[in-house]
Amino acid sequence: MIVTPPDLPADDPSEELGGTVALTLTAEEAGGRLDKTLAEHLPDLSRARIQALMAAGMVSREGKVLTDTSAKAQAGDYELLIPPPEAAEPQAEAIPLTVLYEDPHLIVVDKPPGMAVHPAPGTPSGTLVNALLHHCGDSLSGIGGVARPGIVHRIDKETSGIVVVAKSDAAHQGLSALFAAHDINRVYVALVRGAPSPAKATIVTQIGRSSTDRKKMAVLKSGGREAITHYSTRTVFGQQKKPQAARLECTLETGRTHQIRVHLASKGNPCLGDPVYGSGPPTPAVREAMAQAGLSRQALHAAVLGFVHPVTGETLRFESALPADMAKLEALLSAL
């Protein structure tokens, strides 16, 4: 099997990709039901999605359009044409923002948990982009497209903390270059189950979409994209020999989707409250502390963002204190 993916970044597993996917099936891989076989070899696409593409005449083999989903898969070269999602133009909304810095070229905000960075299926409004359109008017950089004006990086909807957004095209291009070169200082605070061993280390893996759940990311043995996270244990809660939780500082060298959450979970120390990667419950005392703190999301906060201003050349560094739910949880954990 040979697969050529769409020539587009796969940063967000909640979004459909647009483009062309080329797939070659060998004789050994053929023989099963066509839609099921294609879905097995293309984990980024669900079986229902493939059926819809076939019904729309978007799937072909050796140049012949295939519409019968129940037909047997044959060996050969397949092509799937995947239309990009239609981006609805986001509307300006008067949503309060915590602005840490703003000039004619960029704006730095402290995003609360529960706010998505940009509109996407399931979150068409109430996003950071909607708030910025109201705050900045027409000054956001248009390079990001209709649905993502000014957006050069993202943090998860339920992750709190600092985000920089471009207001000019020059800033957008400059910030994008800094992120691509990993020349941005990004430090996150995570409250995790147990405590990692060793207390300080660098995690280097390949991260890509899970083959069993396309909405999740996973550490892969091959394929995916290189992901590098440096972590350091700052506080251990509970007995040293059997810690119940810990506060970590995680510095990103790369910025893959869900990178910190996936990396910490791979060590057996998922973020507390993580609904996707938090397999295995914390101790009863930690669960009680989470309930008292009102934590209803992953305990992950983008605490530091530092970079050289892409237009003025000024060195900028911003810090954000823990939001109320994580701060209260840390105080309760300190009493264990």
Side-chain angles (χ1 to χ4, degrees):
M1 175 191 67
I2 300 175
V3 179
T4 303
D7 187 21
L8 289 172
D11 289 333
D12 191 336
S14 69
E15 298 169 8
E16 294 290 354
L17 297 174
T20 301
V21 176
L23 168 68
T24 299
L25 291 180
T26 65
E28 291 76 14
E29 294 167 329
R33 180 174 162 129
L34 180 56
D35 58 348
K36 183 179 180 181
T37 300
L38 292 177
E40 289 174 347
H41 291 293
L42 299 170
D44 287 351
L45 298 173
S46 67
R47 187 172 176 182
R49 178 70 165 136
I50 289 174
Q51 291 172 346
L53 290 173
M54 293 184 70
M58 299 290 187
V59 180
S60 61
R61 174 184 166 276
E62 311 289 355
K64 180 181 178 180
V65 175
L66 306 173
T67 57
D68 184 1
T69 58
S70 62
K72 297 293 184 182
Q74 300 181 40
D77 297 325
Y78 290 79
E79 185 176 80
L80 292 82
L81 302 178
I82 306 173
E86 295 184 7
E89 186 169 353
Q91 301 299 308
E93 298 178 37
I95 302 171
L97 287 174
T98 301
V99 178
L100 303 180
Y101 176 88
E102 183 174 11
D103 68 13
H105 299 286
L106 55 84
I107 181 171
V108 179
V109 299
D110 195 349
K111 186 188 80 68
M115 174 185 278
V117 169
H118 58 73
T123 53
S125 61
T127 72
L128 180 59
V129 162
N130 298 108
L132 287 169
L133 287 172
H134 180 271
H135 179 87
C136 301
D138 296 330
S139 67
L140 292 180
S141 165
I143 295 178
V146 173
R148 307 180 190 178
I151 300 302
V152 292
H153 74 123
R154 291 170 285 187
I155 59 177
D156 298 334
K157 178 180 179 181
E158 297 299 340
T159 296
S160 53
I162 306 173
V163 178
V164 59
V165 178
K167 294 174 62 178
S168 69
D169 289 352
H172 199 132
Q173 293 168 340
L175 287 169
S176 296
L178 289 176
F179 277 99
H182 313 310
D183 201 12
I184 296 273
N185 182 26
R186 287 175 288 174
V187 181
Y188 288 68
V189 172
L191 300 178
V192 304
R193 188 186 73 202
S197 179
K200 181 178 181 180
T202 296
I203 305 172
V204 182
T205 72
Q206 300 292 315
I207 286 182
R209 300 194 190 203
S210 168
S211 61
T212 58
D213 185 346
R214 68 180 306 273
K215 293 183 179 181
K216 295 178 62 174
M217 307 302 284
V219 169
L220 305 178
K221 293 182 179 180
S222 62
R225 304 170 74 184
E226 185 180 50
I228 304 173
T229 303
H230 309 281
Y231 75 85
S232 177
T233 304
R234 295 304 184 187
T235 310
V236 173
F237 305 109
Q239 298 179 1
Q240 288 291 126
K241 293 184 178 180
K242 194 173 182 181
Q244 298 186 55
R247 171 176 171 146
L248 308 184
E249 283 189 4
C250 301
T251 301
L252 288 178
E253 187 166 324
T254 57
R256 310 307 179 203
T257 300
H258 300 174
Q259 178 175 317
I260 292 175
R261 298 165 64 190
V262 172
H263 271 170
L264 295 182
S266 73
K267 288 190 65 65
N269 306 107
C271 293
L272 294 175
D274 195 326
V276 178
Y277 302 103
S279 60
T283 65
V286 173
R287 291 202 301 270
E288 175 62 25
M290 292 165 59
Q292 288 186 38
L295 184 77
S296 58
R297 49 119 181 176
Q298 65 265 9
L300 184 62
H301 178 67
V304 175
L305 183 67
F307 57 93
V308 174
H309 195 297
V311 178
T312 68
E314 181 184 1
T315 298
L316 302 175
R317 188 178 189 275
F318 305 96
E319 295 187 21
S320 169
L322 290 183
D325 57 352
M326 286 184 63
K328 185 173 181 180
L329 175 57
E330 182 175 29
L332 292 167
L333 293 174
S334 297
L336 293 179

